[in-house]
Amino acid sequence: MENFNFWDFEVWGVFNLIAVLLGSLLAANSLKKLIPALKRSLIPSSVLGGLLLLTASVIYEAVTGKILFNTNFFGGNGTGVMEILTYHSLALGFIATTLKPSSGKFGKQRSREIFDTGVTTVSTYLLQGVLGLGITILAALIVKEMFPAAGVLLPFGYGQGTGQALNYGNIYELEHGFVGGRSFGLSIAAFGFLSASIGGVIHMNILRRKGLNY
């Protein structure tokens, strides 16, 4: 049985990681209050904080050749810990959104809106799945190492979020031999998150300028 000292990084790695994540949120919130352009924008502090950490990690890897969050300061496996935090935090986030009471009455108009939203969501997932699967099948014809069914992860990454993309990427990797399935799923989810954060924020700002509030 391996022994750990109280001052070892293996003991404090998770706490250091959480402290850095919380520090990035504080830094992002401060920037939004100090910079007028960021204050007027609809960029969430969490997204801005994530971009700050992403920039820092890219610079660190370019200078040292090592992954920032896998250093001894973060216990040697910070990326694995962040995968777990992301997976469970997203689930808690979705649960928290349902705890807010609805002020409107449930009538026929509301029923139609819910039905239309459901049909639109399912249709979007289906379109993403067919498009992603078609792209990876064509890519597999060119690159022999490409997993042909990898495109099915597209609706999970863009529609369901990081947790589901990671989960099914892991299933593909363990049960179907898709080497790097976890990383591929997380990459798809990251692109989906950036698309929503950048494109969605731009779209919301355009609607706000037109006087439309949703």
Side-chain angles (χ1 to χ4, degrees):
M1 187 179 198
E2 188 176 0
N3 295 322
F4 294 102
N5 294 317
F6 182 74
W7 52 84
D8 287 341
F9 283 122
E10 287 83 356
V11 177
W12 293 98
V14 176
F15 295 99
N16 292 338
L17 178 61
I18 294 176
V20 169
L21 292 176
L22 294 177
S24 68
L25 290 175
L26 291 174
N29 192 50
S30 299
L31 288 176
K32 288 195 66 174
K33 292 182 179 297
L34 294 175
I35 301 176
L38 291 176
K39 188 175 182 179
R40 290 193 301 269
S41 70
L42 298 176
I43 300 177
S45 298
S46 57
V47 175
L48 184 58
L51 292 176
L52 292 176
L53 288 181
L54 178 62
T55 303
S57 63
V58 170
I59 295 174
Y60 183 87
E61 186 173 2
V63 174
T64 65
K66 300 179 181 179
I67 299 176
L68 174 62
F69 295 104
N70 284 345
T71 56
N72 290 332
F73 182 76
F74 298 107
N77 188 32
T79 54
V81 175
M82 284 196 293
E83 288 179 359
I84 297 174
L85 289 174
T86 302
Y87 184 85
H88 292 289
S89 297
L90 283 171
L92 292 174
F94 280 111
I95 293 173
T97 58
T98 64
L99 298 177
K100 182 179 179 180
S102 177
S103 58
K105 295 182 178 180
F106 190 83
K108 292 184 178 180
Q109 179 65 26
R110 183 57 178 165
S111 300
R112 286 194 294 268
E113 292 176 356
I114 294 174
F115 178 78
D116 292 341
T117 302
V119 172
T120 303
T121 302
V122 173
S123 301
T124 303
Y125 289 168
L126 180 61
L127 179 62
Q128 290 173 346
V130 172
L131 179 63
L133 185 61
I135 292 174
T136 51
I137 289 176
L138 292 176
L141 298 176
I142 302 173
V143 182
K144 298 302 181 182
E145 294 79 10
M146 184 67 187
F147 186 66
V152 178
L153 293 175
L154 186 64
F156 292 108
Y158 273 72
Q160 293 293 310
T162 311
Q164 291 301 324
L166 171 65
N167 185 34
Y168 280 89
N170 186 48
I171 292 174
Y172 283 0
E173 183 171 346
L174 297 179
E175 299 183 8
H176 301 284
F178 179 20
V179 180
R182 290 165 59 94
S183 299
F184 185 84
L186 285 176
S187 299
I188 292 294
F191 280 115
F193 188 75
L194 290 175
S195 299
S197 300
I198 298 174
V201 168
I202 293 174
H203 181 64
M204 291 176 66
N205 277 284
I206 293 174
L207 293 178
R208 188 174 67 172
R209 291 191 184 98
K210 293 182 178 180
L212 299 175
N213 296 316
Y214 293 96

